[in-house]
Amino acid sequence: MTSDPQPASGNSSALSDEQLQDLVASSDTGARNPAGTAGLAIAGVALLWSLFQLYIASPLPFMLSRLTGLALVFNDTQTRSIHLAFGVFLAFMAFPAFARSPRDRIPLLDWVLGLLAAFCALYIFIFYRDLAQRPGLPITQDLVASGIGMVLLLEATRRALGPPLVVVALVFLAYVFFGSSTIVPDIIRWGGASFSRAMDQMWLSTGGVFGVALGVSTAFVFLFVLFGSMLDRAGAGNFFIKLAFALLGHLKGGPAKAAVLASMMTGLISGSSIANVVTTGTFTIPLMKRVGFSAEKAGSVEVASSVNGQIMPPVMGAAAFLMVEYVGISYLQVIKHAFLPAVISYIALLYLVHLEAVRNDMPSLPKRVQHPARIALLRSGLVTASIIILAGAIYYAINFIKWLLPAISAPVLLLALLGVYVVLIWYAARQPDLELDDPNAPVLELPIATEVIKTGLHYLLPLFVLVWFLMIERRSPGLSAFYAVVLLIVIMLTQKPLKAMFRGLQREETRAAFREGFEDLIAGMISGARNMIGIACATAAAGIIVGTVTLTGIGQVMAEFVEFLSGGNIFLILVFTAVISLVLGMGLPTTANYIVVSSLMAPVIVELGAANGVIIPLIAAHMFVFYFGIMADVTPPVGLASFAAAAVSGGDPIKTGFTAFFYSLRTVLLPFIFVFNTDLLLIGVGLVGAIWITIKATFAMLIFAAATQGFFMARSRLWESAALLLVTFMLLRPGFFLDLVQAPYDQVEPVRVFEVMENQPDGAEVRLVISGPDFDNPDQLVERTMAFALGPVGESGEARFERAMGMTVMMQDDVAVLEEPLDMNSLAGRTLSDLDFYDPDRPVQITAIEVAAERLPREVFYIPAFLIFGLVVFTQRRRGGTVFGNPKTV
């Protein structure tokens, strides 16, 4: 490489800033931005939408209802109806029908369609009481509104998100109406539904369009998207990028490392991988090219880090909030399970970028103050320790105030928060405001981290409030986001005038700063609402798929079909699920893809795992399909994030996509690991165990990055890369090798079923080998190896069995006979649904009980893993290998 490559601007295939913003707008906020009355109408409705969402999230409706005696509190169904009305109306206003449609004005037809779509969405709000009086008995007026609403929703979805989701929804609707046709294969054929029955399910109840997904979009997602948009508008996005470059830009391949860190921090507040790519990529990609990355590799690093922003809590591209409803666990638990895989994935990407820089001996960017490595490490340690100590001090100080002044603790803490904010603004006013540097400038001097931090500490206060209410106060995500947004409103209105005051500027300049802050606030609210258009349409349209699954029972058919294809092999089941997620995700946004695939495949993974002797927690199955859903933004030929990055870098989009997928292999590996090793999701793990798992998993992912890069301390030989891959697997899945040496289960006679159940420890895993006649082919015996976890100790063996399995067992002549499950929709009911429990001559019985065997700890295989790792280190050091190189400066 040369130390002075041409800047990105010299590449004619790279898009201009205006074109890049248009790219983001066409995919996220709508490409149409007319002037005059039409533009004011779009902005006004978007602003009204944001204000409505803040209203329903706040305590204000309850206060006003008590004061006025009016019914100003809306229930979930009503708020979903209003939410979708805003979404579909803005979809017709902001998104042109076709590429050749006008963007500087809104055609009359779009006004008509937008208003009609909004009315159809509001139908269940307007006629809520009438519909409640005739459930399941729609009249002609209901059906007309539902039919028109469905058509307009699909058209709004096509405009906002493209045709793929619409095509998928139409296929499922066709299955609802024509599922009884002889054209449909026997295995998935069903009785079909009338138009009345289908519309009642899809539009007039909460089983379809207005179901859980749209409810999550209404209650949680909007506020988090609004929070991210406002925080970025306030200046936090620029602050994060500057901070990332100040911390990492001076290292080898520094711009790439800074891109990873900046995208991770931006991912905390953004749910859009495309917006993340363009926001950070316009600055990071040219700088990566400057230090030696090719256009495709620079774009790929940005894609890999930006897409991973969607697996980073707390937002996770809206999936975190959907998991709360679908899995039935708290938001805090979702964050707990998602945190470790996301963090180690980013650490591994940072290391992968480091290896790329070392292998190609890339230079670093100049820094005004360059400390020796030991001093820099010591300073980093002191800063980290100070942050931990400060966090602990704040936690105990707040709890002390709540204990000392319980009656007035809320206003006292609020005043303290505002006081801290004013002090931080005074501190920031002593520094010049951050400005975006030109990445194509001949020489870029990196900022000093301490100077950058001083300018933006107040941006951390809304994040602190959000985390505090979520993690400590255990408030709902919606209410927590509301409080954070309220603080952000205060910051946006006051930060600029307060800085002007502290800098001693004239009163006119202070008033101008206040007006500028007010304009930023309005723009942030409008931008947040426009960012929600696609998500609102996606969650509503995905409700059609969810409604179809509920109405037709195709989920059970899918389980049988996948089991038939895989032959009951759980690994093949996961591979098929991953492929389905990738294929569907190529045309669907992450949120819609997650809803569709999780509705179809997540229960299948759990059910078939249990039916084949493997307990897979439901959260693990949902995380699995989510991880592969986001990979669709990377993979060609549709990967939108890769195309956006190529538009910035001027590189080939297909090559960028393939390279980005290669860089994202760790994101592909992790789901397969945490399905079988749920420790990575911190399921049933204490604090000490979590620390150990974090260290071990991070080390394993670093080794995996080195193996896939073909470079560790030196260029790896083929056997060294293979050895590093083996070490990775041994560290992440040591139980696999132990199973080859010692059987994981001991078999016990069925007659001892109650004794075994009573003596097993709390949460013990037990497997039953169950045999019985096939329901459709009575002459054929079916055998299942079903796994389940026992509940707490203290009950009789019979009670523990019934509680865990949802079915009873009776002893008949030393035969453990199973009765039909009490709930056929339970895991046992679905798993054993193909068995005939009514054959008097051949009952369904337990033929064997398998309990965990006493054997060596699985960690024993860490010993050969570290020996193999040591051998690789030894051989590479003999060749003069080292992780660190002599830094070169641009």
Side-chain angles (χ1 to χ4, degrees):
M1 58 148 292
T2 61
S3 59
D4 189 23
Q6 291 297 314
S9 58
N11 193 328
S12 60
S13 61
L15 300 186
S16 67
D17 287 343
E18 185 178 348
Q19 291 172 314
L20 289 172
Q21 294 308 317
D22 184 66
L23 174 65
V24 176
S26 62
S27 62
D28 284 351
T29 61
R32 187 182 282 156
N33 196 15
T37 305
L40 290 176
I42 294 177
V45 173
L47 178 61
L48 189 61
W49 191 8
S50 292
L51 293 174
F52 167 74
Q53 294 291 156
L54 288 173
Y55 170 77
I56 62 174
S58 71
L60 191 59
F62 301 95
M63 296 169 56
L64 291 177
S65 296
R66 285 196 299 268
L67 291 173
T68 63
L70 301 175
L72 299 175
V73 178
F74 303 127
N75 61 35
D76 289 344
T77 304
Q78 292 171 320
T79 56
R80 293 173 191 181
S81 174
I82 298 171
H83 179 82
L84 182 59
F86 276 115
V88 292
F89 177 78
L90 287 173
F92 283 102
M93 296 295 100
F95 289 87
F98 304 102
R100 63 179 180 275
S101 299
R103 296 189 176 192
D104 57 347
R105 61 183 178 86
I106 303 175
L108 178 61
L109 178 61
D110 284 358
W111 281 103
V112 174
L113 294 177
L115 291 170
L116 185 58
F119 171 77
C120 293
L122 288 170
Y123 188 83
I124 64 173
F125 171 76
I126 298 170
F127 299 99
Y128 180 75
R129 292 187 177 180
D130 296 336
L131 292 170
Q133 293 174 359
R134 42 183 163 81
L137 299 171
I139 60 176
T140 303
Q141 173 183 300
D142 301 338
L143 296 178
V144 171
S146 302
I148 295 174
M150 290 285 284
V151 172
L152 292 178
L153 169 62
L154 292 174
E155 169 59 13
T157 304
R158 183 195 67 80
R159 292 187 180 205
L161 303 167
L165 179 56
V166 177
V167 172
V168 174
L170 287 174
V171 169
F172 276 82
L173 276 177
Y175 178 67
V176 169
F177 294 120
F178 308 110
S180 59
S181 171
T182 54
I183 301 175
V184 178
D186 291 341
I187 191 172
I188 61 172
R189 190 178 301 165
W190 83 296
S194 64
F195 183 77
S196 174
R197 177 71 184 91
M199 290 302 100
D200 182 66
Q201 172 78 16
M202 298 295 179
W203 197 268
L204 300 174
S205 69
T206 56
V209 169
F210 297 95
V212 170
L214 187 64
V216 171
S217 176
T218 305
F220 306 140
V221 178
F222 190 103
L223 288 171
F224 277 83
V225 171
L226 179 63
F227 175 75
S229 176
M230 292 173 61
L231 194 58
D232 181 62
R233 186 75 185 191
N238 184 29
F239 170 70
F240 287 153
I241 294 174
K242 285 274 194 176
L243 183 59
F245 269 88
L247 292 173
L248 301 178
H250 64 287
L251 303 175
K252 265 190 177 295
K257 294 173 182 175
V260 175
L261 183 60
S263 295
M264 183 187 76
M265 292 190 290
T266 306
L268 290 171
I269 60 174
S270 170
S272 170
S273 56
I274 299 169
N276 201 346
V277 165
V278 174
T279 300
T280 59
T282 50
F283 189 69
T284 60
I285 288 175
L287 289 174
M288 280 189 268
K289 293 170 68 177
R290 176 179 297 179
V291 297
F293 282 85
S294 67
E296 287 77 18
K297 285 189 175 182
S300 299
V301 170
E302 183 59 52
V303 170
S305 52
S306 294
V307 169
N308 262 29
Q310 295 190 82
I311 68 174
M312 192 71 195
V315 179
M316 294 173 61
F321 313 109
L322 290 162
M323 287 181 191
V324 170
E325 301 296 329
Y326 289 157
V327 183
I329 60 178
S330 70
Y331 178 76
L332 189 59
Q333 288 177 297
V334 172
I335 299 304
K336 171 187 171 184
H337 299 321
F339 181 73
L340 180 56
V343 169
I344 63 175
S345 181
Y346 265 113
I347 292 174
L349 181 57
L350 273 172
Y351 186 58
L352 183 148
V353 167
H354 172 74
L355 292 175
E356 183 79 32
V358 172
R359 179 172 61 181
N360 294 289
D361 196 21
M362 293 181 181
S364 58
L365 294 175
K367 190 175 182 179
R368 276 180 280 166
V369 180
Q370 190 75 38
H371 295 289
R374 292 180 180 177
I375 300 298
L377 185 61
L378 178 61
R379 287 164 60 95
S380 300
L382 290 174
V383 169
T384 303
S386 300
I387 292 173
I388 295 173
I389 293 171
L390 179 61
I394 293 172
Y395 173 80
Y396 286 109
I398 292 175
N399 283 320
F400 176 74
I401 293 174
K402 292 169 70 175
W403 170 80
L404 184 66
L405 306 168
I408 59 170
S409 61
V412 169
L413 290 173
L414 177 60
L415 289 173
L417 179 66
L418 293 177
V420 170
Y421 164 64
V422 173
V423 171
L424 292 179
I425 288 291
W426 169 79
Y427 195 51
R430 300 172 64 187
Q431 300 290 325
D433 291 334
L434 295 178
E435 295 181 1
L436 278 175
D437 294 319
D438 181 7
N440 298 314
V443 176
L444 178 74
E445 190 176 68
L446 292 173
I448 304 299
T450 52
E451 295 178 0
V452 175
I453 290 174
K454 292 175 184 178
T455 65
L457 282 173
H458 59 286
Y459 295 132
L460 303 180
L461 290 179
L463 291 171
F464 167 77
V465 169
L466 178 64
V467 172
W468 179 270
F469 278 100
L470 281 173
M471 305 295 184
I472 309 300
E473 300 290 338
R474 302 293 180 95
R475 301 295 178 89
S476 71
L479 191 60
S480 302
F482 168 76
Y483 287 131
V485 169
V486 169
L487 177 58
L488 195 49
I489 291 173
V490 173
I491 291 175
M492 295 185 75
L493 287 175
T494 62
Q495 64 170 342
K496 290 183 178 179
L498 282 176
K499 283 183 180 180
M501 289 173 56
F502 289 135
R503 288 168 178 166
L505 300 181
Q506 298 298 322
R507 185 173 299 177
E508 293 76 13
E509 294 172 297
T510 303
R511 283 199 291 264
F514 179 80
R515 286 194 299 270
E516 188 178 341
F518 182 77
E519 292 170 359
D520 286 341
L521 172 61
I522 299 301
M525 285 190 166
I526 293 171
S527 176
R530 293 189 64 155
N531 281 329
M532 272 300 301
I533 297 172
I535 296 176
C537 293
T539 51
I544 297 173
I545 290 94
V546 177
T548 301
V549 173
T550 305
L551 182 63
T552 65
I554 185 123
Q556 182 64 35
V557 177
M558 284 289 293
E560 296 173 359
F561 184 63
V562 172
E563 185 178 28
F564 170 75
L565 288 178
S566 64
N569 185 296
I570 191 65
F571 182 76
L572 289 179
I573 292 169
L574 293 174
V575 170
F576 290 144
T577 304
V579 171
I580 291 172
S581 301
L582 283 173
V583 171
L584 281 176
M586 284 183 182
L588 304 186
T590 303
T591 307
N593 180 36
Y594 167 70
I595 295 169
V596 173
V597 183
S598 65
S599 301
L600 287 173
M601 299 305 300
V604 172
I605 293 173
V606 175
E607 182 178 325
L608 295 183
N612 292 277
V614 180
I615 296 179
I616 299 176
L618 186 56
I619 182 64
H622 278 262
M623 290 282 288
F624 183 90
V625 299
F626 173 63
Y627 265 59
F628 278 97
I630 69 167
M631 288 304 299
D633 273 351
V634 177
T635 50
V638 185
L640 297 179
S642 297
F643 276 83
V648 178
S649 70
D652 177 72
I654 301 298
K655 187 176 179 181
T656 299
F658 279 115
T659 308
F661 184 80
F662 178 75
Y663 283 166
S664 301
L665 284 177
R666 72 211 183 284
T667 311
V668 175
L669 171 70
L670 277 171
F672 284 99
I673 297 298
F674 63 57
V675 162
F676 294 105
N677 183 5
T678 56
D679 287 351
L680 285 175
L681 300 179
L682 301 181
I683 295 177
V685 175
L687 178 60
V688 176
I691 294 172
W692 165 239
I693 291 163
T694 302
I695 296 171
K696 179 191 72 171
T698 302
F699 183 64
M701 291 308 295
L702 296 181
I703 295 174
F704 179 75
T708 54
Q709 279 295 99
F711 187 93
F712 177 39
M713 303 180 76
R715 292 185 184 275
S716 298
R717 295 179 175 135
L718 186 60
W719 75 266
E720 291 173 335
S721 294
L724 291 176
L725 287 175
L726 178 61
V727 170
T728 302
F729 191 67
M730 294 175 81
L731 291 175
L732 293 176
R733 187 82 168 87
F736 174 84
F737 298 95
L738 186 59
D739 291 346
L740 299 178
V741 177
Q742 291 181 302
Y745 298 99
D746 290 332
Q747 286 205 344
V748 184
E749 301 85 353
V751 294
R752 297 177 55 196
V753 58
F754 296 140
E755 176 191 345
V756 170
M757 299 300 159
E758 187 169 355
N759 293 332
Q760 288 299 305
D762 187 7
E765 179 181 337
V766 178
R767 304 205 317 176
L768 301 179
V769 181
I770 300 170
S771 176
D774 187 275
F775 190 85
D776 296 321
N777 302 299
D779 295 333
Q780 180 180 346
L781 283 177
V782 176
E783 186 173 275
R784 296 280 189 209
T785 302
M786 184 174 178
F788 62 97
L790 288 172
V793 297
E795 296 180 316
S796 67
E798 187 174 1
R800 290 188 79 187
F801 181 88
E802 290 182 10
R803 184 183 296 274
M805 286 284 290
M807 55 195 308
T808 58
V809 61
M810 297 185 302
M811 301 305 301
Q812 297 179 0
D813 300 328
D814 292 337
V815 175
V817 177
L818 287 172
E819 294 190 349
E820 186 177 26
L822 301 175
D823 180 9
M824 293 307 293
N825 288 322
S826 66
L827 182 60
R830 296 194 306 271
T831 304
L832 305 177
S833 61
D834 56 344
L835 299 183
D836 185 0
F837 286 86
Y838 300 100
D839 189 330
D841 299 323
R842 293 185 302 170
V844 177
Q845 60 181 295
I846 300 173
T847 58
I849 304 170
E850 296 182 346
V851 296
E854 292 186 6
R855 54 182 189 159
L856 292 171
R858 61 184 182 177
E859 288 78 12
V860 72
F861 282 91
Y862 293 163
I863 298 173
F866 284 117
L867 289 175
I868 296 172
F869 178 72
L871 176 63
V872 175
V873 170
F874 175 75
T875 58
Q876 294 206 355
R877 283 189 67 85
R878 287 193 64 184
R879 300 202 302 272
T882 176
V883 177
F884 305 100
N886 296 320
K888 288 197 301 184
T889 302
V890 173

